[in-house]
């Protein structure tokens, strides 16, 4: 009988293209993947991998087996979900991924509630950048993800995934003391300057959203400092190096040398919980989504 863990290793190599990438995805060492493949070759009596330069490539037989493995692993997940649903118990292992501000602002309280109400549920949390999350859920590496959806980059949901809205997270403009907008509680989008902005790296959703927002009022953004972490952006604002657009979620206390200006119309990103539709029957999935929504409701998100 074929071992499921070895099939999972083979499937990961087929999906990610290398032993190293498969190891990263499954959170094991490359040596562990190689050992599983060697054992699977002995089980099947077939050569599954061949040397290809400094890496390996799968043989035709391995490709065929990997296709079957994908279907087998999906059936196993469905069977496990059905069995948990039949028992009605929130048990087993649940992996959750969240982008950094959600991992800081929402997930800690959610995990506390889940552990308090469901002590037999083993939970693992992984901080992941938004671009990876949907892929990781689709491939079965993560059970549930907290994702973000900005106006300028609507989230395309892959087939086989479901989602639930958690909250709307408003972004404010953080300005240094002495800025023309300092001291104002609110401003119109058209009041924003085009120069001296602090934002994340080009190509990131936050960088692109700031550019989209300013260009909508015919301002060409001049980004003078780039930093991917919001606390770093705030520190740069505090020293007078520019303004920054910062979401409220996970923002934390601000230094006294900056001002917060609410913008009209309000820049908003919507947060969702996303999971594989086939796993929706798992009580653990339902409990985690409910806990996330409860945490967001307590924070005032709708």
């Amino acid at each position: 009988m074929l071992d499921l863990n070895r099939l999972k290793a083979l499937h990961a190599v087929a999906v990610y293209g290398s032993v190293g990438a498969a190891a990263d995805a499954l959170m094991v060492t490359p040596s562990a993947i190689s050992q599983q493949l060697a054992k699977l070759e002995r089980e099947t009596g077939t050569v599954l991998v061949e040397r290809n330069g400094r890496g390996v490539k799968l043989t035709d037989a391995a490709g065929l087996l990997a296709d079957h493995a994908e279907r087998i692993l999906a059936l196993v997940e469905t069977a496990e979900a059905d069995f948990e649903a039949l028992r009605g118990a929130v048990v087993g292992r649940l992996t959750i991924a969240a982008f950094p501000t959600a991992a800081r602002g929402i997930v800690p309280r959610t995990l506390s509630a889940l552990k308090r109400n469901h002590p037999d549920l083993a939970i693992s949390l992984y901080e992941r950048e938004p671009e990876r999350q949907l892929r990781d859920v689709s491939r079965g590496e993560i059970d549930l993800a907290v994702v973000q959806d900005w106006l300028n980059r609507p989230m395309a949901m892959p087939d086989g995934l479901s989602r639930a809205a958690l909250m709307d997270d408003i972004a404010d403009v953080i300005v240094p003391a002495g800025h023309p907008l300092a001291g104002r509680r609110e401003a119109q989008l058209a009041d924003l300057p085009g120069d001296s902005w602090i934002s994340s790296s080009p190509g990131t959703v936050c960088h692109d959203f700031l550019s989209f927002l300013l260009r909508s009022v015919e301002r060409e953004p001049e980004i003078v400092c780039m930093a991917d972490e919001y606390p770093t952006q705030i520190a740069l604002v505090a020293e007078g190096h520019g303004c920054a657009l910062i979401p409220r979620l996970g923002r934390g206390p601000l230094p006294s040398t900056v001002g917060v200006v609410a913008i009209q119309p309000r820049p908003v990103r919507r947060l969702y919980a996303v999971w594989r539709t086939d796993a929706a029957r798992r009580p653990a999935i339902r409990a985690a989504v409910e806990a996330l929504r409860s945490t967001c409701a307590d924070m005032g998100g709708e």
Side-chain angles (χ1 to χ4, degrees):
M1 181 178 294
L2 297 176
D3 182 272
L4 282 177
N5 287 326
R6 291 163 198 163
L7 289 176
K8 193 172 185 178
L10 176 66
H11 177 253
V13 174
V15 168
Y16 293 100
S18 73
V19 169
D24 288 342
L26 297 181
M27 292 166 243
V28 298
T29 64
S31 175
I33 296 290
S34 296
Q35 290 174 25
Q36 293 283 34
L37 294 178
K39 290 176 181 177
L40 189 58
E41 285 187 326
R42 290 196 293 271
E43 275 183 347
T44 59
T46 304
V47 175
L48 299 175
V49 293
E50 296 175 341
R51 282 288 169 193
N52 183 29
R54 298 176 65 181
V56 298
K57 69 175 182 178
L58 298 182
T59 63
D60 290 344
L64 176 64
L65 187 56
D67 289 341
H68 285 295
E70 182 174 10
R71 292 190 289 272
I72 291 167
L73 293 170
L75 285 171
V76 169
E77 180 180 43
T78 300
E80 290 174 341
D82 286 345
F83 187 67
E84 286 185 27
L86 181 65
R87 293 173 62 192
V90 181
V91 296
R93 177 168 294 279
L94 185 73
T95 53
I96 299 176
F99 60 93
T101 49
R104 181 167 60 248
I106 297 175
V107 175
R109 277 179 277 179
T110 300
L111 295 186
S112 295
L114 286 170
K115 289 181 177 180
R116 183 171 59 250
N117 297 326
H118 308 290
D120 293 328
L121 180 64
I123 307 169
S124 298
L125 169 66
Y126 301 94
E127 186 179 283
R128 296 277 170 89
E129 291 303 320
E131 293 76 13
R132 286 189 58 183
Q133 292 173 302
L134 292 180
R135 182 195 68 187
D136 290 350
V137 175
S138 293
R139 291 174 172 174
E141 297 162 28
I142 296 296
D143 296 315
L144 183 71
V146 180
V147 303
Q148 59 180 342
D149 188 15
W150 290 89
L151 176 64
N152 65 309
R153 194 185 292 182
M155 180 177 61
M157 285 287 290
D159 292 339
L161 298 187
S162 298
R163 72 179 185 181
L166 297 177
M167 67 181 292
D168 284 349
D169 184 24
I170 299 169
D172 300 308
V173 174
I174 311 299
V175 300
H179 189 276
L181 294 179
R184 292 179 59 175
R185 297 183 60 186
E186 189 171 284
Q188 295 296 311
L189 183 57
D191 296 333
L192 297 181
D195 59 345
S196 299
W197 283 92
I198 299 162
S199 187
S200 53
S201 304
T204 61
V205 64
C206 298
H207 181 283
D208 291 349
F209 182 70
L210 175 63
S211 299
F212 166 81
L213 203 64
L214 293 174
R215 287 168 181 160
S216 72
V217 289
E218 300 182 350
R219 301 280 193 279
E220 187 60 32
E222 180 186 343
I223 298 175
V224 295
C225 298
M226 282 178 275
D228 291 332
E229 294 294 328
Y230 288 135
T232 306
Q233 294 183 24
I234 292 169
L236 289 164
V237 174
E239 290 296 322
H241 297 294
C243 305
L245 184 70
I246 308 287
R248 295 176 183 177
L249 176 65
R251 189 162 65 195
L254 294 172
S256 59
T257 52
V258 304
V260 179
V261 184
I263 300 302
Q264 294 292 344
R266 289 183 169 179
V268 170
R269 62 177 176 178
R270 177 156 289 183
L271 274 57
Y272 293 92
V274 175
W275 63 92
R276 289 182 300 284
T277 303
D278 287 345
R281 293 182 295 279
R282 288 188 64 193
I285 295 288
R286 296 198 299 271
V289 173
E290 289 170 7
L292 284 165
R293 298 186 87 165
S294 178
T295 297
C296 292
D298 290 344
M299 295 169 59
E302 298 295 338

